[in-house]
Each structure stands twice: as structure tokens, then as C-alpha cells.
Amino acid sequence: MFDRRLLTHFDWVLLLVVCLVTAIGVLNLYSATSVWPPAGTPIYLKQVYWLGIGLLIAACVCAFDYRHLEYLGFIFYGVTVLLLLFVLLFGKTSMGATRWIHLGFFNLQPSEVMKIVIIITLARYFSEKGVAAYSLRELLGPALLLGLPVLMIMKQPDLGTALLVIFIGGTMALFAGIRRSALVVLGLLGIGAMVGGWFLLHGYQKERILTFLDPERDPLGAGYHIIQSKIAVGSGGLLGKGFMKGTQSQLSFLPERHTDFAFSVFAEEWGFSGSLLLLLLYLFLIIWGIYIARRAGDRFGMYLAIGVVAMMFWHIVVNLGMVIGLLPVVGVPLPLFSYGGTSMVTTMIGTGLLLNVSMRRFMF
Amino acid sequence: MSINSGWSVSPGSRRRFLALSLAAMGIFGLLLLRLWYLQLIRVDHYQALSERNRIRYVPISAPRGPIYDRDGELLVENRPAFGVSVLRQEVEDRDRLISHLAAFLGEDPEVLLKRWEGNRRFPKHRPLPIAEDISREALEVIQENSIDLPGVLVDVRPMRSYPYGEMAAHLFGYLGEITEAELQQAEDDGYRPGDFVGKSGLEKRLEPSLRGVAGDRLVEVNVKGKELRQLKTRDPVPGYKVYLTIDRDLQLAAEKAFGEQAGAAVVLDVKTGEVLAMVSRPSFDPALFARGISGQEWVQLLRNPRHPLQNKAIKGQYPPGSTFKIVTALAALNAGVASASTTVDCTGGMQLGNRQFRCWKKHGHGRTDLKKALKESCDVWFYQVALDLGIDRLSAMAKALGLGEPLGFPLEWEKGGLIPTRQWKKKRYNAGWYDGETVIASIGQGYVLATPLQMAVMTAAVASSGTVLKPQVVKRIEDLSGNVLESATPQVLNRVALSEADLKAVRRGLEAVLNEPGGTAWASRLEGLSAAGKTGTSQVVKLKEDRYKEKTEDIEYRFRDHALFVAYAPTEDPQIALCVVVEHGGSGSKAAAPIARSILASYFGIPTEPPEETPAIPGE
């Protein structure tokens, strides 16, 4: 039986903002890849196809009541951990990292799936406990739930995704409330982990961080991206060089200009005014997501929404921070903007969850 | 577990929502501040950098994989050649540049302009190849005048070179510049305009193995386009090494034996099906294509009536003539309609209904058995036998021995020849089959067509007691470190059940062709080698009654008969089998058998001519 309220309460605002950002993204991809179009289907068109697939997935995700996820969460979690294990044992290796399970028509990346699954799992954990402020001992459970997949993802190695999963879980825990004393201990532990972790990092990962601190260290290798990206962004000025007129990006000085560095192309061509507009759109998306959490019909829905918002937020912040030289280069895509099917699908699943929570807020 | 119905946001949570929103705004504010700094405060600095900082990718072509013969002799290699490319984004005055370049290169400006325009869609910051293989003089002039030629790059690229000229050109095939359509088809394979790809022969067939992976150089240049420093280099990876089954010496000998004659020859290893030599004459110089063939040269090759571009060994379809008698004999013996002792009285022809089928020998061979029929190539014996045999059994034997269908040779457009059957004729002409047609087919005339490759395979099958092997030409493919990626193993296409006695009877006849006086190829026998063979002469057009009188030289070239010869050797343990077809060569015994003789002599190391004058050896 279909409840008509679902339609009347559909969150058109959210959908509109998501589509608007994606549309700008597609336009930007068109520009970024127009000079030297790869043979075959143009990148921007592929992105449109991915958008179509993503919207379809979002529709599926919001079609069934998110509350069922509360029960399914742990099963998803178990399955995804097994998939991660499978990747570690038999995964497809590409460029030194093993992240994919080859499924013939596409490559499944379980670490991406984990981003969504960890949100569902922790949402259930925190909504069930319902503690006002967690002590260290009470946080042990979620820490283990989070830690296991993070370690497995780091082993692949995929530091960027592992960090994002930590950020998502951390944000949710922070939102759930942590006792002040516990926070202090966690902070100290975090610093300790960072120092200790340095020795666990792969050479190239250390190199990236060192290069981030001093890009001139390796102006043609790891530093090249940062320098070129900063030149592209900075030379955009107030109004930008104009659509399809960015000299840096158009002349392909800018590597990865359609994936992780898509924003550099945009910032060069549209200048500060364009960057401001895009940033405001993203901020609106985040605030609107928080608003959805605020109005959620139940605690599980609230945590779910918070988790999705955290995921989007950290992607945006890490990617932008990276291309404007605030953070080291870790391969994190800009949601709805960078080219790529995986990122699009993950973001659209998140969007579907938000829509789901939003339109079922009256069903209690 | 219950759904938290009646749940409402606690005041504590409300504060957290606010905190969360403020935190998000704060972090976004930081990003915005950074953008403000980069795009508004430091804009001059970065704009200056973006003006100055130009980086160029210069592709480095990968050397194509070399081609060797079966013993590792280099047949096709690469030599360094200078090419000129243009970076269009750095060119200020196109017409001026083109007229300069044309003058320096000695080229027609129109040609350069055409190449320029032909690749408009190619990005302007990528070097567009505009002239290949320029002379050292042109290179020097261009380098001296480089200041007047902004955007012009000279680079060294590997170019195909052929130490043996025209040798085996059809087998290797040729290269050509990649076309727009091919570029689209190659999708993400990394091909660029100006790349040379295999257009025919093995170059085309083995393109993925031979091409290698192009590299590139990342170069920082100043505003004037002058290179400041090299930033990064990715070395190209050469293509794989291809070893053919061809024997260079044998191939050279076979080609030499043809002289100016047109035609084809195929030499096979009887035991493996490997092609030891494959000749198609006249040939062409593949080097013409390596740097881009001119339109005029191309038209000349295309219009040549002797079809130098066609690989006649696999695409030429000829009536096999009397060489087909081997098939007829085996079919008749196998079907039991004739035996080695079946005798026919040849009086110079055979009457069938109201039609007279002639023997090539006007006054006849007299009493003829199988051995004599093969040895002297008596037509009437086969006419008679074929009448009892019928076309169906004859066709079945021909097909079983590898005729009538392409053999799966790894070159494109291998032809299948034609072995007629009742069904085929019904379908093709909607007409019934006549006995007279069987009679003509029995001596390899009429509808029957075969390629030289098929005839060689058939001969090899007879030599190896009925085993039809797939002809192969690629012995192995190796990567750079010598790992074998692909290697040929003998592949049996068919095993024809032939009795030892039948085989023996036919072979005895074939041996007599070369080894007994009166055999049609007696003149082409080799001292010290026991070979078996069969001559053939196939009519190109139905000739007039007086064909016996006319000398080959008196007939117009295009109406002359094709000359054929098939053979295997040594008879006691056959190692090689061959087929020679000389287009319009007249008779098989005169034109084709001597070529086969040279091939056999070369393979078995038998001197056939008195050695040339021995040079004086100092100190002797």
C-alpha cells in the first residue's frame, strides 16, 4: 500500500540542489575535457549517464522505508567486511593498490560501500543506546565497529578512504555526545596515533605529506599537482578566465583535471565569484541535510541523516582543501562534481537516504 | 526493539544541531578565505605564473617490434628517421610558416597545408606530425632557421626499414598513417593522429603485438616556445619481437628464381605445416609506405596489371590444372573405381556424347596405367576414371585434402578457391551437373580453383600420408625480456583415411615425373635428391583448336596459360612440400618446375650452377 503523504512530503529542495551542483559539474567536465577529448564517449556524457544511474539508485533507496535498515544494518556490515576481506585476498590490483572486485561489467570497490554501511551501522548503534554523553568505555563498541574496516581499508592501501570512514564515524560519535574527559583522552590518543601512524605509512604517503608541507620539494612529482592546481585557481581572479578558456587546465598542465582536480578547472574559469557560488551551494546542501536530521521522525533517521551529511561534508572539505593547497593530496573526489561512477553512486545512495528520511518524517 | 515512536529532539540535541551547522559554516568559511587569498590577493602572482609556466608534452613514438626469420635473422627492423611536427598553438602566422617549411623541405606547400587541415580536431598544444623522414640537409636548414619557425619541432622517430627490400613484402604487409575512422575504432588504445599502423599483412594482423607503447616527454618551455628544461620522461616500450617460420635464405632463393615472372610460391614444412617461404611476384617496396606513400606511387601500384600489391600465394585463385590429377587419382583409388593397374588406351582424346575431350598430347599416350598417367600427365586416363568416380566423390577428396575453403592462414582475405559440387552448381547457376564437367574437373579445369597455399597444403598432405596441417607463419612472439608469449604448434585440420597401397601407387607416379626419363619434369630433376612432383598447365581462356601449334611466346601475355608445379622431397622421408605458380608462364614443366628446382636445391644445399669465379684469397 502506498502512502500518498510520501509524495506530498517529497524533498524537492534537496533534489534540486543536488541536480544543480551536478549540472554545473557536467558543464565543467565538458570544458575540462574538451581540448583533448578522449576517443569514444565524451567524459561529460558518461557523467550524465552516471547521473541517470545515480538518480535511479537514489529513487530505489528512497522507495523503501529506511527503518528497515535498522535491522539490516548489521547484516550489511558483515557482508561488507567479508567483501573487504575478499579484496585483500583476491582483489584486482591497479596501480599498486588492491581495491576492486572485478565483476565483469564493473569493478566493485567495497571500501566505497563501507562508507554507507558504516553510517547505517553506527546510526543503529547510537540510536539504540540513546546515551546523552558517551564515556570511553561506552565508545569501545562503535570504535571496534569502525576500527575493523578502517584497518582493512588502510591495508589496501587506501588512506584517503580510510580517513574518510574515520571522519564519518567520528562526526557521528561527536554528534551523539562524548564526555569531556573522554574527549581529552581521545584527543591525546589521536595525536599519539598520528605520530605512531607516520611509521606505518607507505613511502609515497609520507612523501605526499612532506610534499604538501613543502611543494617545491618535488615540483614535478607529487608537488606538481599542488603547484599547478594553485596556479590554476589563483590565476582565475575575481571573475575567472571564462568558460572553456582556462589556460592552465585547457593546456593540460593540470593533471587529473576531470577527476580529483575538477574544481581547479572551475575555479580558473569562473574565478572567485564562481567558487563562491559553488561553495554556497555545497554549504546549503550540508545545512539542509542537518535540517533533515533535525526534523527526522526517529532517532535512527536522525543519525542516518547526520552520517550522510558527514560523508558529503568531509568529501567536499578534503577535496577542496587539497586542490587549494590546504590539505595533502589524497585521492578524494568532489561529490557530484568530479568525474567518476563510484563517487556518483555513493553520493546518490546518500542522497536517497536523506530523501528517505526527509519524506518519512510524518509517518510516526 | 521498538521504533522510537513519539520521539522528539532533546534540547541537548538541538544545541548539537546548531553547533554542527556553525562548524560546517566555519570550515566552509576557511575554504572561502583561502580562495579569497588565492584568487583575489595573490591573483597577480598566479596569473604571472600561468603566463610564464608552459609545459609541453612531446610524444615519443615506440619502435615497432622487429620481425625475424625462423633462425633469428632480422627481416624487418627500425631505423631512426627525422620527422617534423608543428605545435599549432605556438604558431603565429600559419601561411608564412608553411611556406617557409615547404621551402626548407622541398615539399609542395599544399601538401603540408593538407596535413595541417586534416587534423584540425587534434589539440593545438600537441605536436602534429607534418613531415616524415626528412633528409639530413633539410634537418640542418630547419635547425638553423628555428628562430623563424616558432612551434616547429624536429624529432627522431623509429621508422620501418627492410634490409632485404622487396623480399616477402606481401607477408609483412605495409604500414600507413592511421585514418580518422581507425582512430575512432581504436578508442582508448592510445593511438594519435600521425601514428603509423599496420595496414596489411602481418603488420596489420600482429598490430597489437608489434606496436609497443608510446612514451612522452614533459618539457617546460618559455613564452617563446623555447625549451627550458626537461621535467619528466616516460620511455616508450618497443613492440614485441616476432619470429616467423620463414627461412630467409630459402625465401631469397625462391624470389630470385622467379626473376621477372609473375606468380606465387609456397614452401611448407611437411611435418609442422610451417611456411618456410611464401613468394608473390611482382612485389613492392614496403619502405615506400614506411614514410607515407605518395598518391602517385600508390596509383601506380594499384594500376599495375600484374597486381604487385596482391598476395597471390593466398589470394590468387588459379585452375590447378594437371596438379589436380593427384586428387583425382587418390579419389579414384580410394573409391575403388580404379587401381594402379587400371589401363586406358589414350588415342589423344575421349568421346563423350557428341563432344570430344582432348588429351594435351595430340597423338595420344597409347596404353596408360596410373603411373604413366601421372608421369606423362595423360588426360584421358583421368577422364575415363572420373566418369566412374563422379563429381561428388572427387569434390569430397579435394575438400578433405584442404582445397575449396580458406585454411585459416593468419592474413586477411585469404581466398578459398573453389571445388564445385552438384549443390554448388544448383545454387550458383540453378542448373544440373553434366558428366562433361566432371571430366574437365578431373584435370583441374572448369570451375576448379585453388590458391597456391592450398595446393602446397594438399601436396604436403600427400607427402605425410593424409595429414592436413594448418599452414602457420608465426613461429613465436617474444616480449622484450625474451619471454615467449605465443608459439606455434602443429595443428591438424584433417586426417584423410588413405590406404598405404593407394598412397604408394600415387607417389610412385609422382616420383616418376621427376626421376624417370619421359616424366614431365625430368628436365628439372636434381642430382642427389629424390623428389616427387606434378606439373600443371592451366588454361586462362578456352583456346582455339590450333593451341598445339602456337608457341607460348606467340600468344598475347594475358592469354597465356598459367604454369604450375607441386612437389615434395625427399621421397623416402618428405620434409618439405611446395607449390609454384607462374602466371601466364606457358607450361608447368618449362616455367614452374625450374623454379621449384631452385627452391629444392637451396633447401637441401645442392649446388645447381657452377660456382661463380672464386675471388683470390690473399695468402693462399
Side-chain angles (χ1 to χ4, degrees):
Chain A
M1 41 169 204
F2 183 76
D3 193 328
R4 290 181 65 124
R5 285 181 300 173
L6 287 179
L7 262 190
T8 47
H9 293 123
F10 188 80
D11 198 333
W12 295 104
V13 175
L14 178 65
L15 190 67
L16 187 75
V17 177
V18 165
C19 287
L20 197 59
V21 176
T22 315
I24 298 174
V26 169
L27 212 63
N28 185 57
L29 285 180
Y30 179 79
S31 171
T33 57
S34 63
V35 220
W36 195 21
T41 315
I43 293 280
Y44 73 92
L45 210 59
K46 285 193 194 168
Q47 183 79 338
V48 172
Y49 298 155
W50 278 117
L51 174 64
I53 294 168
L55 285 174
L56 214 69
I57 292 173
C60 293
V61 169
C62 71
F64 83 97
D65 198 327
Y66 69 86
R67 282 166 295 180
H68 299 305
L69 291 174
E70 196 169 357
Y71 308 105
L72 292 172
F74 282 113
I75 298 172
F76 285 165
Y77 181 83
V79 170
T80 314
V81 166
L82 284 180
L83 284 177
L84 282 171
L85 192 68
F86 184 85
V87 165
L88 285 181
L89 296 179
F90 316 104
K92 182 182 169 228
T93 302
S94 159
M95 300 193 289
T98 311
R99 298 172 188 170
W100 296 271
I101 298 175
H102 192 61
L103 288 181
F105 54 100
F106 89 124
N107 293 326
L108 181 72
Q109 196 180 336
S111 55
E112 276 299 317
V113 181
M114 192 39 109
K115 284 179 190 164
I116 298 287
V117 169
I118 199 72
I119 291 169
I120 300 171
T121 311
L122 291 181
R124 167 160 173 191
Y125 187 91
F126 288 127
S127 65
E128 210 175 298
K129 278 264 175 182
V131 178
Y134 288 80
S135 69
L136 267 187
R137 258 189 56 182
E138 287 162 329
L139 279 176
L140 204 63
L144 285 176
L145 282 175
L146 191 64
L148 177 66
V150 164
L151 282 177
M152 293 172 90
I153 295 169
M154 277 174 105
K155 192 94 184 73
Q156 290 181 354
D158 186 354
L159 192 61
T161 307
L163 276 176
L164 275 165
V165 173
I166 293 177
F167 285 171
I168 294 167
T171 308
M172 290 177 77
L174 216 57
F175 181 79
I178 299 175
R179 284 192 197 162
R180 200 156 297 175
S181 58
L183 262 181
V184 173
V185 176
L186 279 178
L188 290 175
L189 272 177
I191 294 168
M194 261 151 61
V195 175
W198 175 257
F199 299 102
L200 292 176
L201 289 181
H202 285 254
Y204 77 94
Q205 290 168 334
K206 284 186 195 171
E207 194 58 39
R208 275 190 190 168
I209 293 170
L210 288 177
T211 304
F212 159 70
L213 296 173
D214 177 17
E216 296 296 337
R217 250 176 80 88
D218 180 14
L220 308 169
Y224 181 77
H225 291 60
I226 302 174
I227 297 171
Q228 295 299 331
S229 180
K230 270 159 72 175
I231 293 174
V233 173
S235 63
L238 177 63
L239 296 172
K241 295 175 185 168
F243 183 56
M244 298 186 66
K245 294 208 176 85
T247 56
Q248 289 308 104
S249 38
Q250 294 289 339
L251 298 179
S252 70
F253 299 158
L254 200 60
E256 316 268 339
R257 61 190 188 283
H258 61 288
T259 55
D260 292 352
F261 286 86
F263 178 77
S264 314
V265 178
F266 184 77
E268 184 186 13
E269 298 190 346
W270 299 94
F272 183 72
S273 43
S275 312
L276 179 67
L277 175 82
L278 191 66
L279 236 60
L280 286 179
L281 278 173
Y282 274 126
L283 183 61
F284 182 83
L285 184 65
I286 298 301
I287 300 291
W288 190 261
I290 296 173
Y291 178 59
I292 287 173
R294 167 86 169 71
R295 294 185 308 168
D298 63 350
R299 195 178 278 143
F300 177 66
M302 174 181 78
Y303 280 111
L304 207 55
I306 288 295
V308 171
V309 166
M311 177 179 81
M312 291 182 175
F313 176 79
W314 287 116
H315 269 97
I316 297 165
V317 169
V318 172
N319 178 278
L320 292 184
M322 168 178 95
V323 301
I324 59 182
L326 282 178
L327 292 171
V329 176
V330 278
V332 171
L334 186 57
L336 309 172
F337 210 76
S338 293
Y339 169 72
T342 309
S343 167
M344 181 64 87
V345 167
T346 313
T347 311
M348 281 300 175
I349 292 174
T351 306
L353 287 174
L354 281 182
L355 289 170
N356 198 335
V357 172
S358 181
M359 70 195 210
R360 287 194 170 79
R361 64 188 186 269
F362 298 105
M363 299 190 64
F364 295 92
Chain B
M1 186 182 5
S2 71
I3 299 287
N4 306 296
S5 48
W7 171 83
S8 71
V9 179
S10 66
S13 291
R14 256 179 236 152
R15 271 204 307 280
R16 281 185 206 136
F17 282 118
L18 192 65
L20 211 57
S21 306
L22 288 175
M25 286 186 218
I27 293 180
F28 268 73
L30 267 176
L31 292 176
L32 208 57
L33 216 62
R34 173 71 175 181
L35 282 166
W36 173 281
Y37 171 76
L38 289 177
Q39 298 193 296
L40 298 180
I41 311 276
R42 300 275 284 162
V43 55
D44 294 337
H45 168 72
Y46 286 118
Q47 268 174 358
L49 276 180
S50 90
E51 278 305 307
R52 204 184 68 205
N53 177 306
R54 303 230 157 182
I55 287 165
R56 206 189 252 175
Y57 277 99
V58 183
I60 314 172
S61 316
R64 255 179 117 71
I67 300 178
Y68 301 92
D69 86 340
R70 61 189 297 115
D71 301 318
E73 298 287 346
L74 197 55
L75 302 180
V76 181
E77 57 182 335
N78 302 292
R79 66 181 167 84
F82 294 103
V84 180
S85 304
V86 176
L87 269 169
R88 286 168 298 167
Q89 70 170 15
E90 289 175 15
V91 174
E92 283 146 19
D93 185 341
R94 183 190 72 179
D95 296 336
R96 193 169 152 265
L97 180 84
I98 284 193
S99 72
H100 270 120
L101 259 185
F104 296 150
L105 291 169
E107 275 265 21
D108 185 355
E110 285 299 311
V111 174
L112 298 187
L113 194 66
K114 223 172 161 181
R115 292 198 75 177
W116 183 299
E117 290 291 318
N119 289 295
R120 285 184 102 144
R121 285 182 38 199
F122 192 54
K124 286 194 164 154
H125 64 280
R126 293 249 153 188
L128 171 73
I130 205 152
E132 312 284 343
D133 199 16
I134 64 169
S135 68
R136 210 156 257 286
E137 296 75 49
L139 170 78
E140 276 164 20
V141 178
I142 287 175
Q143 276 174 339
E144 277 163 25
N145 294 280
S146 64
I147 201 87
D148 292 330
L149 300 168
V152 170
L153 304 178
V154 177
D155 54 20
V156 182
R157 45 186 93 136
M159 185 155 289
R160 264 319 197 206
S161 103
Y162 304 86
Y164 300 100
E166 295 190 346
M167 188 196 78
H170 297 93
L171 198 56
F172 305 146
Y174 51 84
L175 302 178
E177 203 173 319
I178 192 164
T179 62
E180 188 80 28
E182 285 167 330
L183 260 179
Q184 299 227 330
Q185 223 177 24
E187 281 245 289
D188 302 323
D189 287 348
Y191 283 103
R192 290 179 288 232
D195 279 355
F196 274 71
V197 298
K199 296 276 182 177
S200 78
L202 289 171
E203 293 276 20
K204 179 173 185 181
R205 178 70 188 218
L206 301 176
E207 173 71 21
S209 300
L210 288 169
R211 67 178 287 227
V213 184
D216 42 35
R217 283 191 314 138
L218 195 60
V219 186
E220 189 176 328
V221 293
N222 65 13
V223 190
K224 291 213 165 115
K226 190 171 161 14
E227 286 190 14
L228 297 178
R229 60 188 171 136
Q230 186 138 317
L231 302 181
K232 214 160 51 176
T233 309
R234 262 191 311 184
D235 290 327
V237 184
Y240 297 143
K241 297 177 194 170
V242 171
Y243 290 83
L244 301 184
T245 60
I246 297 296
D247 178 323
R248 178 199 59 180
D249 298 335
L250 192 65
Q251 178 80 25
L252 281 171
E255 302 216 357
K256 187 169 163 240
F258 261 87
E260 289 303 303
Q261 302 177 98
V266 175
V267 186
L268 295 174
D269 182 318
V270 167
K271 306 210 153 107
T272 59
E274 291 175 357
V275 176
L276 297 170
M278 180 176 270
V279 177
S280 179
R281 304 292 298 180
S283 192
F284 60 89
D285 183 2
L288 283 180
F289 294 88
R291 55 170 168 76
I293 188 167
S294 77
Q296 204 187 346
E297 290 166 324
W298 176 244
V299 168
Q300 253 175 24
L301 282 172
L302 276 184
R303 293 220 178 123
N304 187 326
R306 305 210 303 166
H307 307 293
L309 286 175
Q310 192 194 40
N311 184 351
K312 290 167 181 155
I314 59 165
K315 288 187 215 171
Q317 301 179 101
Y318 307 90
S322 296
T323 60
F324 194 71
K325 288 173 182 168
I326 300 173
V327 178
T328 308
L330 283 171
L333 296 179
N334 196 50
V337 300
S339 71
S341 53
T342 301
T343 318
V344 168
D345 190 23
C346 171
T347 56
M350 181 190 83
Q351 192 70 27
L352 181 67
N354 56 5
R355 208 181 143 186
Q356 169 83 3
F357 290 89
R358 295 165 184 278
C359 184
W360 68 269
K361 196 169 179 184
K362 197 171 185 184
H363 302 293
H365 290 89
R367 291 200 69 77
T368 306
D369 61 2
L370 170 63
K371 185 181 161 191
K372 186 177 172 190
L374 286 169
K375 176 185 155 195
E376 297 179 18
S377 206
C378 168
D379 292 334
V380 175
W381 192 91
F382 291 95
Y383 292 159
Q384 287 288 355
V385 164
L387 282 176
D388 295 335
L389 181 64
I391 187 64
D392 292 333
R393 287 188 283 190
L394 179 57
S395 301
M397 179 57 73
K399 288 184 174 177
L401 287 167
L403 304 175
E405 291 289 335
L407 291 157
F409 197 68
L411 293 185
E412 53 186 352
W413 298 317
E414 186 206 347
K415 289 278 168 34
L418 174 62
I419 297 302
T421 58
R422 283 173 208 282
Q423 262 185 325
W424 168 81
K425 197 184 170 200
K426 183 86 193 152
K427 214 171 143 190
R428 178 79 170 75
Y429 294 107
N430 195 24
W433 188 265
Y434 302 112
D435 278 349
E437 291 170 324
T438 309
V439 167
I440 300 174
S442 74
I443 60 158
Q445 295 284 169
Y447 302 116
V448 183
L449 291 175
T451 64
L453 179 68
Q454 287 176 332
M455 289 183 264
V457 166
M458 179 269 285
T459 310
V462 173
S464 66
S465 307
T467 307
V468 183
L469 287 167
K470 185 174 172 172
Q472 309 203 58
V473 75
V474 179
K475 195 153 179 67
R476 65 178 190 280
I477 298 178
E478 279 181 10
D479 69 9
L480 295 173
S481 6
N483 299 315
V484 177
L485 306 172
E486 229 181 285
S487 72
T489 45
Q491 287 180 46
V492 177
L493 291 176
N494 193 16
R495 281 186 213 277
V496 191
L498 298 169
S499 80
E500 265 313 308
D502 293 350
L503 272 167
K504 214 169 162 184
V506 171
R507 286 179 183 160
R508 210 175 286 145
L510 298 178
E511 281 162 34
V513 169
L514 275 152
N515 300 311
E516 289 181 18
T520 51
W522 166 249
S524 293
R525 71 193 180 280
L526 269 169
E527 213 58 58
L529 178 73
S530 60
K534 182 74 198 79
T535 52
T537 302
S538 69
Q539 292 172 23
V540 176
V541 287
K542 283 217 167 63
L543 287 177
K544 297 159 290 237
E545 289 293 303
D546 58 355
R547 62 182 277 217
Y548 302 103
K549 292 171 193 158
E550 254 176 304
K551 281 186 179 170
T552 303
E553 296 76 44
D554 299 335
I555 308 171
E556 201 183 328
Y557 176 77
R558 63 196 174 104
F559 294 141
R560 289 180 201 166
D561 291 343
H562 293 319
L564 297 98
F565 191 67
V566 298
Y568 63 84
T571 49
E572 54 280 6
D573 179 24
Q575 290 174 31
I576 67 168
L578 59 85
C579 168
V580 176
V581 177
V582 180
E583 287 185 347
H584 311 293
S587 84
S589 54
K590 274 199 193 127
I595 293 175
R597 180 176 188 264
S598 301
I599 293 172
L600 290 172
S602 165
Y603 186 82
F604 292 102
I606 300 168
T608 52
E609 286 156 334
E612 288 168 28
E613 255 184 54
T614 346
I617 301 166
E620 197 185 36

